[in-house]
């Protein structure tokens, strides 16, 4: 298959995937309250979360500047620690993956009671894949200088789709 055909095929597949994702503005619009937005698994056990499931967890909210936005923005959603506790899975390391297969591994000691959060809303509204959603791992960057590091920025994964809990000792 030549380069142009592969490129066209990749574009068609990417468009089809984007169209089917919750919050996308493609041909197919999914109901984000009923669609599975996040899967937490360890290879044996898995827990899926819809928006309603994430909204049922304790909610955190903060306004912060980011390197990706032009002004301070209000983010809200459950703490990642609460998502993990609700899944019933615990691990020393968590691999967070986005819709485009970008992934980052976090040590579970990074998780605090209130940060990072799995943002389900920006400025009080759900947000689409085009807007880095529908889930974005966000830290309160303005609250403490320790949240302004390369590692923290790399862990601020948007378009989050799944978390692998590494239970290997």
């Amino acid at each position: 298959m030549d380069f142009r055909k592969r490129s066209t095929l990749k574009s068609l597949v990417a468009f089809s995937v984007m169209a089917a994702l919750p919050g996308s503005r493609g041909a197919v619009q999914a109901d984000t309250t009923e669609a599975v937005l996040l899967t937490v698994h360890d290879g044996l056990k898995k827990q899926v979360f819809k928006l309603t499931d994430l909204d049922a967890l304790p909610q955190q909210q903060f306004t912060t500047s980011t390197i990706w936005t032009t002004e301070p923005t209000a983010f809200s959603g459950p703490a990642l620690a609460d998502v993990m506790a609700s899944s019933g899975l615990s691990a020393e390391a968590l691999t967070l993956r986005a819709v485009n297969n970008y992934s980052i591994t976090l040590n579970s000691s990074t998780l605090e009671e209130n940060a990072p959060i799995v943002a389900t809303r920006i400025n009080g509204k759900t947000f689409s894949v085009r807007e880095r959603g529908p889930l974005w791992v966000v830290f309160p960057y303005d609250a403490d200088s320790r949240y302004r590091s390369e590692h923290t920025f790399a862990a601020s994964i948007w378009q989050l789709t799944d978390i692998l809990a590494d239970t290997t000792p």
Side-chain angles (χ1 to χ4, degrees):
M1 182 179 291
D2 72 22
F3 174 76
R4 276 178 275 156
K5 286 182 182 176
R6 272 187 288 156
S7 180
T8 301
L9 182 59
K10 283 183 180 178
S11 296
L12 288 171
V13 169
F15 176 76
S16 298
V17 169
M18 293 295 285
L21 289 172
S24 70
R25 294 187 176 119
V28 177
Q29 184 70 20
D31 179 356
T32 58
T33 59
E34 292 304 317
V36 171
L37 299 182
L38 180 64
T39 302
V40 180
H41 55 98
D42 66 0
L44 298 174
K45 180 180 167 187
K46 79 175 184 178
Q47 175 70 41
V48 296
F49 292 89
K50 299 174 183 178
L51 181 61
T52 52
D53 301 321
L54 295 169
D55 285 348
L57 297 173
Q59 300 293 295
Q60 306 297 322
Q61 180 174 335
F62 51 78
T63 299
T64 190
S65 303
T66 79
I67 61 174
W68 307 280
T69 57
T70 57
E71 57 191 33
T73 304
F75 294 94
S76 60
L80 181 53
D82 288 336
V83 172
M84 292 307 300
S86 178
S87 75
L89 297 171
S90 61
E92 288 300 312
L94 305 173
T95 300
L96 287 68
R97 188 172 29 234
V99 70
N100 66 355
N101 283 326
Y102 170 82
S103 65
I104 185 75
T105 300
L106 287 178
N107 188 306
S108 61
S109 65
T110 306
L111 307 184
E112 300 173 7
E113 184 179 343
N114 300 319
I117 67 169
V118 177
T120 59
R121 289 172 176 73
I122 295 176
N123 295 325
K125 298 178 182 174
T126 58
F127 52 111
S128 70
V129 169
R130 288 182 185 223
E131 301 163 310
R132 297 186 180 97
L135 304 177
W136 185 354
V137 176
V138 184
F139 294 79
Y141 310 103
D142 295 341
D144 194 308
S145 62
R146 66 193 164 102
Y147 295 133
R148 294 186 295 272
S149 69
E150 281 300 313
H151 185 265
T152 301
F153 293 143
S156 301
I157 186 169
W158 56 77
Q159 299 171 336
L160 178 68
T161 58
D162 65 284
I163 300 171
L164 172 63
D166 184 357
T167 56
T168 307

